[in-house]
Amino acid sequence: NRNKDSLALDLKHPDGSAVLQSLIRQADVFITNFPGPIRQRLGLTPEDLLPLNERLIYASLTPYGEDGPERDNTGYDATAWWARSGMMDAVRASADTPPAFSVAGMGDHPTAVALYGAIVSALYRRLKTGKGGVVSTSLLANGLWSMASRIQGVMCGTEFPAIPHRGVRGALTEFYRCRDGRWFMLAILNQTREWPLLVEAIGKPELAADPRFLTLEDRKANNADLLGALEAVFITNDWPDWKEKLNGAGITTGAAALPHDHLTCPQVAANNMLPLFDDGSGLRTVDSPIHIGGETKRAPSRAPDVGAHSRKVLAAFGYDTAEIDRLVNNGAVGLFNA
């Protein structure tokens, strides 16, 4: 809720509902993730709101989609995006590893970007037609999208093997541990070009002459030996040293980063991915991933307390002081009291 104003309305109060309807008549976009039955009880369905404003974009977010037997079920990103999509199962280290919990918000964030895409597409359509309408997405749909390569494979008749143990997928696309305990992923997909670069970068050119590893077929047949040889090399040095050597050779890697790594990462800093709040506190936040050339993003401001801007918002929509006082006094509008 950073960079937002907060208006608190009691939508069960007739005056609170009337205030929302007056805002809808002037709004561009209405976003809701209330379950269907709550929308119906509060008069928040498209059928309720779109007649008030033909230019309104009604954006709906649900756990499982707008239709079907589960349309009104509750869900979170951990249940509808992570578990239900199959990602929870697909990322297990092996078939014997219990499922893992997702990171908080891990499915909410890409789902929000999908809803944003739907909204701006509808706004573009409105430029051409003058009409608003309903757009929607769901946690499950975004989870299936994230799992698309595997699900598409199943639809095309692919049978995926059981989750492989470490080392089965190939020594050149595997995780390795460094001397300092940090892990990184090696991602060599073009072995013809990159295998010679790798052995030079790690200071082991003799591996290229090893009869077990001469060709792609040899390396595949002797994968366990190659895995062991690379493990023995990478454990001798710390990750920052390997990062410099491998990046310098043009080898693609991915460190298993820890949250605090990003606070001192020069790449993150160069792209202002952790901008400062605008209040001078020195605190930072995670930036949205979207950039538009030639446009300057607003500096992030703290998320408001609920009702912190009730008077300001209502005044901007034409309510005078006396009417705002009446709505506050009868409980239709809430205020934050510091």
Side-chain angles (χ1 to χ4, degrees), residues 31 34 58 62 71 105-106 113 132-134 148 185 189 201 215-216 230 246 251 264 278 318 320 336:
I31 304 173
F34 278 144
Y58 183 106
T62 62
R71 59 177 294 180
M106 196 163 79
V113 173
V134 179
M185 182 180 182
L189 304 183
T215 67
L216 188 152
L230 293 177
L246 295 172
I251 301 298
T264 56
D278 63 359
D320 60 31
F336 170 73

Side-chain angles (χ1 to χ4, degrees), residues 177-244:
R177 192 175 190 181
C178 303
R179 184 174 62 187
D180 55 4
R182 302 301 296 269
W183 289 82
F184 76 96
M185 182 180 182
L186 197 60
I188 292 181
L189 304 183
N190 184 348
Q191 292 193 27
T192 301
R193 185 180 72 85
E194 296 175 281
W195 168 244
L197 299 177
L198 175 67
V199 296
E200 290 295 330
I202 64 177
K204 294 292 181 180
E206 64 270 21
L207 290 178
D210 191 312
R212 296 172 298 171
F213 312 136
L214 286 177
T215 67
L216 188 152
E217 289 74 19
D218 293 330
R219 293 189 289 274
K220 184 176 181 180
N222 297 285
N223 182 66
D225 291 345
L226 181 55
L227 178 70
L230 293 177
E231 284 179 327
V233 172
F234 289 126
I235 200 65
T236 64
N237 222 336
D238 296 339
W239 165 241
D241 299 315
W242 288 126
K243 178 182 179 182
E244 182 178 357

Side-chain angles (χ1 to χ4, degrees), residues 59-66 110-116 118 135-142:
S60 173
L61 174 62
T62 62
Y64 300 108
E66 301 295 312
T111 301
V113 173
L115 188 61
Y116 162 81
V135 299
S136 65
T137 194
S138 69
L139 290 165
L140 179 57
N142 283 273

Side-chain angles (χ1 to χ4, degrees), residues 62-64 70 73-88 100-103 105-108 139-140 143:
T62 62
Y64 300 108
E70 299 178 62
N73 286 13
T74 57
Y76 302 102
D77 69 337
T79 59
W81 183 86
W82 176 243
R84 183 66 176 276
S85 70
M87 278 184 283
M88 175 186 278
F101 285 101
S102 60
V103 175
M106 196 163 79
D108 290 335
L139 290 165
L140 179 57

